[in-house]
Amino acid sequence: MSDSKHRIAIVGTGGIANSHAKAVTSLPERAELVAAVDVDLDRAKEFATKWDIPAVYPSLTELLAAGGVDLVHLCTPPSSHVPLAAECLAADVDILVEKPPTLSLDELDALLEAESASAAQVACIFQHRFGAGAVRLRELVADGVLGRPLVALCNTTWYRDDAYFAVPWRGTFEVEGGGPTMGHGIHQYDLLLSILGPWEKVTALAARQARPTRTEDVSMALVTFENGAIASVVNSLVSPRQTSQLRFDYENATVELEHLYGYKNPDWTITAAPGQESVSDAWSTDLPDVASGHAAQLAAVLDALTTGAPAPVTLAEARNTVELAAAIYASAFTDKPVRRGELTRGTGYAERMGGPGAPW
């Protein structure tokens, strides 16, 4: 093992762990998989064989005791993220945690406190921020090329059948944190927030239209932003034609993205306003060929860890996204608008995404 490589362990070897393993193995000069951890040791062994991982452990505690790990990827069900991340922080080992990072706003704030007492840090998986199109869009916004943001649309209209919800930890606030608002659409509206910045107020609806779930299977929200932009956000699991769509209308151009679970450069389009044709050239000139995905974010995380900078996406950055999720539930279930900062620590929807529970 080369000392120049980041030694990575994957904790939780279910489906999403394969995306993490693929990301690590795509960067062979910079990182290597040294361990797999799962309470189901047979599953961990099978995963380790598939990805040529030399060590297997039945618990994070045993992994940390053995040492030799620089970065832990947490790929376990959402309800376990906080205690496992806290254990890593206590051992001063950096963490890359799958979405959602926590099940509630209060849990995220508690994890921020644990992070402040550690030499390690927590980065949160929001991989759609890291494709070339999203990076270029943020550059053009920062440079003022697009003008003022006016209107945005953010649609995650996916399809999951009844069998999907047969997995015990799905369809509950206690273990999954919520329905498509927390577990599915969060990737798209995190990208929305990374472009438009801090949100200000949300008015939302949520419903259980068709699926056997204790959470919602559809939510819709109207969101206002500090910069004056307004956006609609739709999260659905009952939409047979699946798509993920983002649209940003600026003074000088419309920028659109349509994909499903990950995008490449051709999935973006830009339409210049009359007289602003040069905006299209600013978009396309020397645009790198970088798709969204775990590999793109992992590369950025390794860059930060190498230089000692905060690793993207920090817990503090992710808080803006988790707070919006909590506010969508609070607004939908109380039939009232919710402002950013209103869900203070210890209050119902800060303690639990669903508050006292869905009204159905």
Side-chain angles (χ1 to χ4, degrees):
M1 181 173 64
S2 170
D3 291 338
S4 65
K5 291 184 181 182
H6 295 268
R7 299 165 299 183
I8 293 176
I10 292 180
V11 179
T13 57
I16 196 62
N18 290 285
S19 296
H20 286 255
K22 184 177 180 180
V24 176
T25 56
S26 74
L27 301 167
E29 302 302 317
R30 307 186 61 192
E32 60 183 337
L33 288 168
V34 298
V37 179
D38 202 300
V39 293
D40 184 337
L41 196 56
D42 288 338
R43 183 168 66 176
K45 290 176 179 177
E46 182 180 349
F47 182 81
T49 299
K50 177 179 179 180
W51 293 102
D52 194 25
I53 301 173
V56 174
Y57 298 92
S59 72
L60 175 63
T61 301
E62 291 181 52
L63 168 73
L64 295 175
V69 174
D70 303 311
L71 178 65
V72 165
H73 289 220
L74 285 183
C75 303
T76 54
S79 62
S80 66
H81 287 172
V82 170
L84 294 177
E87 190 174 353
C88 290
L89 289 171
D92 292 330
V93 174
D94 293 315
I95 306 115
L96 182 59
V97 60
E98 256 299 335
K99 61 80 186 165
T102 65
L103 292 187
S104 71
L105 197 56
D106 278 2
E107 282 190 354
L108 193 141
D109 287 338
L111 197 55
L112 275 168
E113 291 175 356
E115 185 183 47
S116 68
S118 172
Q121 58 182 308
V122 180
C124 305
I125 284 288
F126 284 116
Q127 71 270 23
H128 290 335
R129 295 188 183 203
F130 296 90
V135 173
R136 177 57 51 88
L137 179 52
R138 286 193 293 270
E139 291 171 349
L140 296 186
V141 169
D143 292 343
V145 172
L146 297 175
R148 189 163 58 93
L150 304 174
V151 179
L153 309 177
C154 179
N155 298 328
T156 303
T157 45
W158 292 359
Y159 187 85
R160 299 292 185 268
D161 61 15
D162 289 0
Y164 174 83
F165 292 92
V167 177
W169 58 270
R170 288 192 177 130
T172 68
F173 286 106
E174 290 74 19
V175 183
E176 196 174 14
T181 308
M182 268 291 273
H184 304 82
I186 195 168
H187 278 305
Q188 296 345 297
Y189 64 77
D190 174 77
L191 177 53
L192 177 87
L193 295 174
S194 82
I195 304 300
L196 293 181
W199 60 277
E200 191 172 68
K201 184 177 72 172
V202 60
T203 302
L205 298 170
R208 185 178 60 182
Q209 295 290 80
R211 298 292 171 257
T213 174
R214 281 175 280 170
T215 69
E216 84 291 1
D217 55 19
V218 175
S219 70
M220 298 182 176
L222 299 177
V223 187
T224 61
F225 288 81
E226 287 185 357
N227 59 18
I230 57 175
S232 67
V233 178
V234 176
N235 307 294
S236 170
L237 293 181
V238 297
S239 304
R241 189 185 84 80
Q242 297 191 95
T243 187
S244 305
Q245 300 166 315
L246 282 161
R247 173 176 173 142
F248 300 89
D249 290 324
Y250 289 85
E251 290 177 309
N252 299 335
T254 292
V255 181
E256 296 174 89
L257 168 65
E258 182 164 6
H259 66 112
L260 186 52
Y261 301 137
Y263 62 79
K264 298 180 179 179
N265 288 353
D267 298 321
W268 292 85
T269 60
I270 184 164
T271 305
Q276 299 292 335
E277 288 74 17
S278 62
V279 173
S280 297
D281 292 333
W283 171 270
S284 60
T285 300
D286 299 323
L287 184 64
D289 185 18
V290 179
S292 69
H294 288 73
Q297 180 166 1
L298 179 59
V301 168
L302 297 181
D303 287 343
L305 295 180
T306 299
T307 62
V313 175
T314 65
L315 275 175
E317 290 178 280
R319 193 184 192 284
N320 192 41
T321 302
V322 173
E323 186 177 9
L324 179 59
I328 288 173
Y329 285 117
S331 176
F333 292 171
T334 65
D335 197 25
K336 297 176 181 178
V338 175
R339 293 186 176 274
R340 189 163 64 93
E342 184 177 327
L343 303 179
T344 56
R345 195 162 187 173
T347 56
Y349 290 93
E351 288 185 325
R352 181 178 184 270
M353 280 290 164
W360 44 81

